[in-house]
Amino acid sequence: MPLTNNRDDISRAIIKLTKDGNLESLKKAIDELEPSEVAAQYRRLPRKRHPIFLEVLDTDKLIKMLGSLTRNEQLRVLELVGPIRSTELLDQMKSEDLSYLLSDLPDKQVEKLIAEMRQEEKKYIRQQRKYPKDSAGRIMRTRYVWVHQSYSVTKAVEKLKHYEAFAHYLNYVYIINDDKQLVGVLSYKDLLLAEADECVKDIMQTSIAKVFDTTKQGEVAKMIGRFDFVSLPVVNENNILIGIIRADEVLDIVVREADKDIEMLFASGKSIDFHTKPLVAAYRRLPWLILLLFIGLVSGSIISRFEETLEAVVALAFFMPMIAGMTGNTGTQSLAVVVRGLVSEDMTMKKSLHLIFRELIVGVILGVVCGAVISVIAYVWQGSFTLGLVVGSSLVATLIIGTIAGTVIPLILNKFKVDPAVASGPLITTINDILSLLIYFGIATMFISKLM
């Protein structure tokens, strides 16, 4: 296959090779691709071509591809490759990927998937599943190297040499006592620069950043991001070291959480991709849309209440879509800022008030600028100074309220332990539509005598 950066050309070539059954050329073509591109090409293939595509992938390439697929796609791959190869894949998958794959599956299905795995691996999976699915315990690595506080530097280094298989996991050396409790930490640099006969206890750092096995994964991500850690030790309630979590594992979680939040921001709920069946996709979207439909009827009732105002000044109708649209847009913008901030910050009352005050100032600035612009446009277009004043002042008020609504609603949801992404863009937009119409027609009714 000729080298090309064009994804469509690659897809056409791969489809032709799968049709021809040219496994050797197909394998060479796939070997030229990055893992993420392999996953993209797998998705682009007709489903009936998937088995032959998977057949030519070596285990390492297939495992890397699995990391770029959704859970449903991963399960289908395991089904297509058969029980023997799927067991091999599960044995070699990274712990956080395995946790993600198995997290929402019923115990019966999990047991079927892991039936042929090594006893040690099965024990590990069953132990991980005892933790809440969003906890640190679900994603920690239980294979790690510890050093006893009584070791000399020489003995510690010798032990690390015996565990060279863990070399790519080792960034810090965690120190334990006789009760296996975490008592200290050493960087490799400190260990290598220390004198050979020094005791580990004398050179270790006793101020340790750690997380508990029940700590939420989001909190782990915040800690790693805040302090730039490469890894974090995981302890139980008795401070016994039971695992470690690496930054790259947390990054995968952050990406998946971001994807989930984006879905919820746009009220699509559970993931919907190109392969989702029409009935399933419709079922997942319907609840939100039906709720918003009924909320949207309130907008209609508001317009009917101000029917006389609208009949008296027909020009008011020209600006209704603009007022509602601008208010919804600014609310959604604020919502996105808050949801993103909640992921990266510990939101205290002080920070929340600061954020609300900042967004209030932003809303005022946006409102004054946009209000002034639309006032001039309305005056020039309709030749009415009063109409320009009504439209401009309405936009100022609605943009301020829309910005505050988009800020306060996700903060309130977060306070009550509800995922703030549930405060989706369509919901914020619908609520702001109602408020904007009330304000717009309320102000117009106050000036109705001057508008006529």
Side-chain angles (χ1 to χ4, degrees):
M1 183 179 74
L3 290 174
T4 175
N5 290 323
N6 188 298
R7 181 171 283 179
D8 290 333
D9 290 343
I10 296 172
S11 296
R12 282 191 286 270
I14 288 178
I15 289 173
K16 185 177 187 307
L17 291 173
T18 57
K19 282 183 178 178
D20 296 343
N22 192 338
L23 299 187
E24 185 177 347
S25 297
L26 178 61
K27 180 173 175 55
K28 287 181 180 178
I30 294 173
D31 285 343
E32 295 176 3
L33 305 177
E34 293 296 320
S36 59
E37 184 60 29
V38 175
Q41 293 301 330
Y42 171 79
R43 286 192 174 108
R44 281 170 156 245
L45 273 176
R47 290 170 73 90
K48 65 182 180 180
R49 306 292 177 192
H50 284 172
I52 191 171
F53 185 89
L54 296 174
E55 184 180 339
V56 301
L57 287 179
D58 59 48
T59 301
D60 184 59
K61 200 93 172 178
L62 187 48
I63 288 174
K64 289 178 180 177
M65 187 192 83
L66 284 172
S68 299
L69 301 179
T70 66
R71 182 185 290 109
N72 287 337
E73 288 170 337
Q74 290 175 346
L75 290 171
R76 185 168 185 272
V77 167
L78 294 178
E79 181 182 343
L80 289 174
V81 299
I84 296 176
R85 199 172 183 203
S86 65
T87 298
E88 182 186 2
L89 293 173
L90 292 172
D91 275 331
Q92 297 186 40
M93 283 178 72
K94 292 195 295 184
S95 58
E96 76 278 6
D97 288 337
L98 193 57
S99 174
Y100 168 72
L101 172 62
L102 304 177
S103 59
D104 288 333
L105 300 181
D107 290 339
K108 188 174 181 180
Q109 189 173 356
V110 171
E111 289 298 325
K112 182 179 178 181
L113 282 171
I114 68 174
E116 301 303 322
M117 292 178 69
R118 299 191 302 270
Q119 287 300 321
E120 181 185 358
E121 294 295 330
K122 286 197 282 191
K123 182 180 178 182
Y124 164 76
I125 291 170
R126 289 166 181 158
Q127 182 63 37
Q128 298 295 88
R129 286 178 61 81
K130 292 179 181 178
Y131 294 105
K133 68 177 182 179
D134 62 344
S135 67
R138 276 289 180 107
I139 58 169
M140 67 182 180
R141 294 180 182 272
T142 55
R143 298 183 182 93
Y144 57 90
V145 181
W146 53 263
V147 170
H148 194 275
Q149 63 180 348
S150 64
Y151 284 10
S152 67
V153 169
T154 300
K155 187 175 181 180
V157 171
E158 284 299 317
K159 177 170 183 176
L160 297 179
K161 287 180 180 179
H162 283 295
Y163 289 93
E164 60 178 334
F166 294 90
H168 57 296
Y169 299 150
L170 295 171
N171 301 98
Y172 308 108
V173 181
Y174 297 109
I175 319 301
I176 65 170
N177 61 18
D178 292 334
D179 296 320
K180 296 185 180 180
Q181 293 175 318
L182 181 64
V183 293
V185 64
L186 265 177
S187 69
Y188 266 109
K189 179 182 177 182
D190 292 337
L191 188 64
L192 293 174
L193 294 179
E195 296 296 330
D197 58 350
E198 281 191 275
C199 182
V200 166
K201 185 177 181 179
D202 296 331
I203 60 173
M204 70 184 185
Q205 298 288 329
T206 55
S207 178
I208 313 166
K210 60 189 176 184
V211 294
F212 290 98
D213 50 6
T214 54
T215 301
K216 288 188 177 295
Q217 293 170 6
E219 294 300 316
V220 178
K222 288 178 184 177
M223 280 191 68
I224 286 180
R226 188 182 310 124
F227 298 110
D228 266 345
F229 290 133
V230 178
S231 62
L232 278 174
V234 182
V235 298
N236 64 15
E237 59 183 3
N238 298 315
N239 197 42
I240 293 174
L241 180 64
I242 58 174
I244 62 168
I245 294 178
R246 285 178 48 84
D248 57 347
E249 294 161 356
V250 174
L251 178 61
D252 290 340
I253 294 165
V254 171
V255 170
R256 285 168 186 151
E257 285 300 310
D259 289 342
K260 184 176 74 174
D261 284 353
I262 288 170
E263 291 162 8
M264 298 188 76
L265 276 170
F266 293 98
S268 60
K270 296 179 181 178
S271 61
I272 298 173
D273 56 30
F274 291 120
H275 304 298
T276 305
K277 294 179 181 179
L279 285 176
V280 175
Y283 173 76
R284 290 175 179 173
R285 291 178 182 176
L286 266 177
W288 268 106
L289 292 177
I290 291 174
L291 173 63
L292 297 176
L293 183 150
F294 283 103
I295 295 176
L297 290 175
V298 178
S299 299
S301 66
I302 291 171
I303 295 173
S304 67
R305 283 186 57 192
F306 292 98
E307 186 177 354
E308 293 181 4
T309 302
L310 195 56
E311 287 178 352
V313 187
V314 177
L316 288 171
F318 303 159
F319 299 95
M320 279 171 50
M322 182 274 302
I323 294 284
M326 289 287 288
T327 309
N329 289 340
T330 191
T332 304
Q333 288 174 344
S334 295
L335 173 64
V337 170
V338 175
V339 170
R340 184 172 57 195
L342 289 170
V343 172
S344 59
E345 298 283 344
D346 291 319
M347 292 303 293
T348 61
M349 179 61 72
K350 184 178 179 180
K351 286 184 179 179
S352 297
L353 292 174
H354 174 76
L355 179 61
I356 293 171
F357 182 68
R358 191 200 70 179
E359 289 299 302
L360 173 61
I361 296 174
V362 171
V364 170
I365 295 171
L366 293 175
V368 170
V369 173
C370 294
V373 171
I374 197 62
S375 293
V376 173
I377 292 173
Y379 172 66
V380 173
W381 183 15
Q382 297 296 319
S384 170
F385 175 79
T386 305
L387 180 62
L389 180 64
V390 168
V391 175
S393 59
S394 297
L395 190 58
V396 172
T398 56
L399 287 186
I400 293 172
I401 290 175
T403 303
I404 293 299
T407 306
V408 172
I409 288 176
L411 288 175
I412 291 174
L413 289 171
N414 185 62
K415 181 69 176 176
F416 287 98
K417 308 298 182 185
V418 177
D419 190 339
V422 173
S424 66
L427 178 59
I428 290 289
T429 302
T430 305
I431 292 174
N432 282 342
D433 282 350
I434 294 170
L435 295 175
S436 64
L437 289 173
L438 279 172
I439 292 169
Y440 180 44
F441 283 116
I443 293 175
T445 303
M446 289 171 57
F447 291 89
I448 189 66
S449 60
K450 294 183 180 180
L451 285 169
M452 295 175 64

